[in-house]
């Protein structure tokens, strides 16, 4: 299947009366992840984040007809890949439409089931982008990842064959670009509020004066340094949570396993008696670095989960309301 053949196939199912040029631009947008870093957000505001956005209608129509490929944009598109929006689009198809699409794929030699249809079509497109950016080379069924009925393809290969190097995930013979590592922005974000509030409750207790998260300048040098370190830990694990969601099918499930195992590992230490909440937090962070987290397949990807990410898991537990406070644990 070529790029244009895939596009024309999808046009019959999710074209929604769009013009051919508009549909090509729309289809590519379904495979681009959301911007996450300040630089990416800035590029997105001026329509420079998505490499396939804002091109000429004539160029899109040539892609539709198979007269042009995406050689110049393929590498960046592959780096920014995400299947989430496309899968949601196919999932909304009616039963009859899905059955018809399965039949059309079968006629082209691509056999799948209703349960795996969404992932299968996404895999076809991403293989085309990776191996045939000129839009002319045909992708064969043998080049599509084999999945079990649960949709899994990566998990069986987890182990020493999977590792992170220079921002790329090497796994099962594949090389996948990961989104940039997130750095803590200057201002506290909305998703940080729960764990940040818990930290400031502990800081207020030990400093014997109420300090709000908006008053970081009121922290002593010691606790300002500690706060910066805790935010670094949070964004270190959050980079994995967000980045792996689009490249590893079972990411959310495996992150949840990580959090559950982390809580089991720190529970007794967390429930201990301490002079103040900062000491409880310190002891929990010491404990988590020596806690074995073998149940999640993410742990078996070399160079992925280190001590900083383990500490960040504790803050995710606060965000999930599993840990309610570092000070008043009985409330």
């Amino acid at each position: 299947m070529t790029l244009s053949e895939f596009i024309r196939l999808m046009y019959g199912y999710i074209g929604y009366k769009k013009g051919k040029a508009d549909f090509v631009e729309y289809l590519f947008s379904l495979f681009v992840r959301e911007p996450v870093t300040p630089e990416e957000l800035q590029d997105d505001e001026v329509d420079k984040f998505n490499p396939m956005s804002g091109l000429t209608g004539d160029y899109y129509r040539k892609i539709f007809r198979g007269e042009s490929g995406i050689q110049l944009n393929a590498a960046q598109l592959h780096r920014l890949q995400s299947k989430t929006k496309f899968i949601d689009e196919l999932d909304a198809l009616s039963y009859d439409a899905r059955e018809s699409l399965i039949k059309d794929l079968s006629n082209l030699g691509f056999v799948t089931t209703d349960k795996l249809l969404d992932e299968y079509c996404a895999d076809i497109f991403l293989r085309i982008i990776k191996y045939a950016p000129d839009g002319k080379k045909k992708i064969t069924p043998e080049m599509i990842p084999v999945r079990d009925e649960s949709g899994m393809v990566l998990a069986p290969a987890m182990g020493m064959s999977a590792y992170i190097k220079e921002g790329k995930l090497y796994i099962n013979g594949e090389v996948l670009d990961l989104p940039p590592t997130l750095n803590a922005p200057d201002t506290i974000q909305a998703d940080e509020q729960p764990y940040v509030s818990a930290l400031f409750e502990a800081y207020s207790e030990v400093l014997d004066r109420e300090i709000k998260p908006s008053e970081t300048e009121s922290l002593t040098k010691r606790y300002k340094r500690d706060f910066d370190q805790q935010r670094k830990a949070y964004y270190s694990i959050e980079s994995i949570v967000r980045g792996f969601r689009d490249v590893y099918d079972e990411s959310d499930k495996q992150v949840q396993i990580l959090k559950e195992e982390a809580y089991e590992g720190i529970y007794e230490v967390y429930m201990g008696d301490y002079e103040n909440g900062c000491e409880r937090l310190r002891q929990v962070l010491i404990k988590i670095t020596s806690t074995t987290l073998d149940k999640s397949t993410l742990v078996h990807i070399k160079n992925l989960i280190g001590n900083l990410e383990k500490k960040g898991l504790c803050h995710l537990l606060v965000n999930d309301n599993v840990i309610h406070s570092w000070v008043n644990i009985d409330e």
Side-chain angles (χ1 to χ4, degrees):
M1 186 182 300
T2 65
L3 175 61
S4 63
E5 287 173 341
F6 180 84
I7 291 173
R8 292 197 298 270
L9 176 63
M10 290 298 108
Y11 186 61
Y13 290 95
I14 57 174
Y16 305 126
K17 299 182 180 179
K18 291 181 173 64
K20 295 176 180 178
D22 290 339
F23 176 70
V24 173
E25 182 178 17
Y26 173 69
L27 181 63
F28 278 106
S29 74
L30 295 178
F31 284 95
V32 175
R33 65 171 173 80
E34 297 297 326
V36 292
T37 67
E39 293 78 12
E40 290 178 346
L41 290 168
Q42 187 174 15
D43 285 344
D44 190 51
E45 289 180 357
V46 294
D47 210 20
K48 292 184 178 180
F49 176 68
N50 181 349
M52 294 300 296
S53 178
L55 304 176
T56 67
D58 185 55
Y59 181 52
Y60 290 132
R61 282 187 286 272
K62 285 183 177 180
I63 294 176
F64 189 94
R65 295 193 298 265
E67 298 171 1
S68 182
I70 58 168
Q71 297 96 318
L72 298 178
N73 309 88
Q76 188 177 1
L77 186 64
H78 187 70
R79 181 176 65 84
L80 300 175
Q81 66 173 277
S82 169
K83 300 184 290 186
T84 304
K85 291 180 286 187
F86 175 76
I87 287 175
D88 288 343
E89 190 79 7
L90 286 196
D91 185 60
L93 291 176
S94 67
Y95 173 81
D96 289 342
R98 292 175 67 84
E99 287 296 304
S100 178
L101 178 54
I102 291 172
K103 183 177 180 180
D104 286 344
L105 286 168
S106 180
N107 290 337
L108 294 171
F110 293 82
V111 180
T112 188
T113 64
D114 180 74
K115 190 172 184 179
L116 299 178
L117 176 63
D118 308 334
E119 287 276 5
Y120 191 76
C121 289
D123 286 337
I124 291 174
F125 180 83
L126 294 178
R127 281 300 187 273
I128 292 172
I129 297 305
K130 181 174 182 178
Y131 295 113
D134 61 1
K136 298 177 182 178
K137 178 180 177 181
K138 284 184 175 291
I139 299 300
T140 64
E142 293 75 21
M143 301 173 72
I144 309 304
V146 177
R147 299 178 181 275
D148 60 26
E149 278 302 308
S150 68
M152 287 304 301
V153 64
L154 297 181
M158 290 296 179
M160 295 306 293
S161 62
Y163 61 95
I164 301 292
K165 182 179 180 181
E166 298 178 349
K168 299 179 185 294
L169 169 63
Y170 294 79
I171 183 169
N172 199 25
E174 296 274 353
V175 181
L176 300 173
D177 289 290
L178 295 173
T181 300
L182 297 173
N183 295 314
D186 293 335
T187 58
I188 298 170
Q189 304 300 295
D191 59 284
E192 295 185 80
Q193 291 298 332
Y195 89 87
V196 168
S197 295
L199 287 173
F200 272 79
E201 182 186 22
Y203 296 151
S204 296
E205 180 191 32
V206 75
L207 295 174
D208 197 26
R209 53 190 171 89
E210 183 180 3
I211 306 175
K212 298 178 181 179
S214 59
E215 302 170 337
T216 55
E217 70 281 356
S218 298
L219 291 172
T220 63
K221 185 176 180 179
R222 172 184 177 181
Y223 289 107
K224 177 61 170 66
R225 183 170 61 247
D226 181 78
F227 179 56
D228 290 341
Q229 186 67 13
Q230 301 313 321
R231 292 191 77 206
K232 182 179 179 181
Y234 171 77
Y235 275 99
S236 184
I237 190 64
E238 189 66 13
S239 291
I240 294 173
V241 172
R242 300 184 194 181
F244 268 69
R245 186 169 289 141
D246 291 330
V247 299
Y248 177 32
D249 300 330
E250 208 181 29
S251 176
D252 288 342
K253 177 181 177 181
Q254 295 303 323
V255 169
Q256 184 60 34
I257 292 173
L258 268 181
K259 291 189 287 188
E260 291 173 358
E261 197 171 13
Y263 185 65
E264 291 298 324
I266 66 173
Y267 177 76
E268 283 75 16
V269 172
Y270 173 70
M271 293 299 292
D273 295 322
Y274 302 97
E275 183 176 342
N276 55 62
C278 284
E279 181 61 20
R280 172 177 282 104
L281 171 63
R282 191 174 78 88
Q283 292 301 325
V284 165
L285 295 180
I286 291 173
K287 174 60 179 176
I288 192 62
T289 60
S290 62
T291 299
T292 301
L293 307 172
D294 281 342
K295 290 183 179 180
S296 172
T297 55
L298 292 174
V299 174
H300 302 288
I301 300 177
K302 188 177 180 181
N303 300 329
L304 183 63
I305 306 293
N307 286 335
L308 194 62
E309 289 75 24
K310 285 184 175 182
K311 292 176 182 178
L313 285 170
C314 297
H315 300 312
L316 293 187
L317 291 173
V318 177
N319 278 5
D320 290 349
N321 205 29
V322 175
I323 290 178
H324 306 288
S325 170
W326 299 112
V327 177
N328 301 307
I329 66 172
D330 294 325
E331 290 186 2

